[in-house]
Amino acid sequence: TVQQGQAVINTGDIADCCYFIKEGRVKVCQQIDDEYLTVAYLAKGDFFGEEGLLKDAPRNADIVMLDDGVLMRLEKKDFDRLLKNPTLQAFSFALAQQQVDYQEAVWLDVRLAEEYQLAHLKGALHLALPDIRLKARQLPLNQQYMICCDNGQRSAAAAFLLGIQGYNASVLAGGLESLSSQQQMQYII
């Protein structure tokens, strides 16, 4: 049980669980450049706190209750056992590219726009990880997505977020850093 105005998560905290909203609403706030902004509102049926668990990184936002409410807490070890590990399928570059070549999947790059513009896989779509919650609905549901980033961490978070929204998503094991120099020359533009 939580009260209006209560801080549930603070930026920089250790990510030890995620939350599901059973009752009430929350706001998600982040420091962006020199401004403290509300970046999202979540309500009954939504969840938060999973990104830190997926990336094994500190919390990147403040979550504050807008109403009195009820949250369900899922500890990291249970999250990993029940949700993260069973939902993530990773492919080597050779197997992933084969699926793309046979038009069984498309590349989806989840790095920031600046990273994508510097270099990306040929034919890769782009949807940055921070935008997945809001913009994933723009992607066709009937498509298989092969998700890539630099080292695989953001890909895992993206695949999880897309998977719980009903998308068929797999990850490039080891990210773009796993490509040989020959593969980089042949497939990265």
Side-chain angles (χ1 to χ4, degrees):
T1 303
V2 288
Q3 286 75 44
Q4 179 180 6
Q6 181 176 341
V8 180
I9 288 178
N10 294 301
T11 302
D13 286 353
I14 294 172
D16 59 350
C17 67
C18 68
Y19 295 91
F20 296 83
I21 303 172
K22 188 171 181 180
E23 295 176 22
R25 297 175 303 137
V26 302
K27 66 178 178 178
V28 181
C29 302
Q30 288 181 313
Q31 185 73 35
I32 301 175
D33 297 323
D34 292 332
E35 294 186 69
Y36 186 72
L37 302 171
T38 299
V39 295
Y41 294 96
L42 304 173
K44 182 178 180 175
D46 289 327
F47 56 92
F48 58 90
E50 78 290 341
E51 190 173 330
L53 298 178
L54 289 163
K55 292 178 164 183
D56 288 321
R59 304 293 190 182
N60 65 1
D62 296 329
I63 311 290
V64 178
M65 292 303 300
L66 293 172
D67 310 308
D68 291 346
V70 176
L71 302 177
M72 297 183 293
R73 178 181 167 117
L74 183 62
E75 298 297 323
K76 180 177 179 13
K77 66 178 176 55
D78 296 321
F79 175 87
D80 288 345
R81 183 175 54 83
L82 296 171
L83 300 175
K84 181 181 172 184
N85 294 334
T87 62
L88 297 182
Q89 185 175 19
F91 287 88
S92 69
F93 179 75
L95 289 175
Q97 186 60 48
Q98 185 177 36
Q99 286 195 4
V100 171
D101 288 344
Y102 292 146
Q103 298 180 350
E104 295 172 358
V106 296
W107 288 114
L108 179 63
D109 193 316
V110 295
R111 297 173 300 154
L112 298 175
E114 303 82 44
E115 295 171 287
Y116 176 81
Q117 289 169 357
L118 284 174
H120 59 270
L121 289 167
K122 293 176 183 176
L125 303 174
H126 179 252
L127 180 59
L129 177 60
D131 299 330
I132 284 190
R133 278 186 189 261
L134 300 175
K135 296 183 180 179
R137 291 181 181 95
Q138 296 172 0
L139 299 171
L141 260 174
N142 61 348
Q143 180 67 58
Q144 162 75 23
Y145 295 96
M146 193 62 61
I147 302 176
C148 62
C149 68
D150 52 348
N151 61 14
Q153 287 187 328
R154 287 182 278 183
S155 297
F160 174 77
L161 292 171
L162 288 171
I164 59 176
Q165 293 181 57
Y167 289 89
N168 187 355
S170 303
V171 300
L172 172 60
L176 297 174
E177 293 173 358
S178 71
L179 275 68
S180 69
S181 55
Q182 182 181 355
Q183 290 170 327
Q184 290 176 13
M185 288 190 306
Q186 184 176 355
Y187 293 103
I188 292 183
I189 55 172

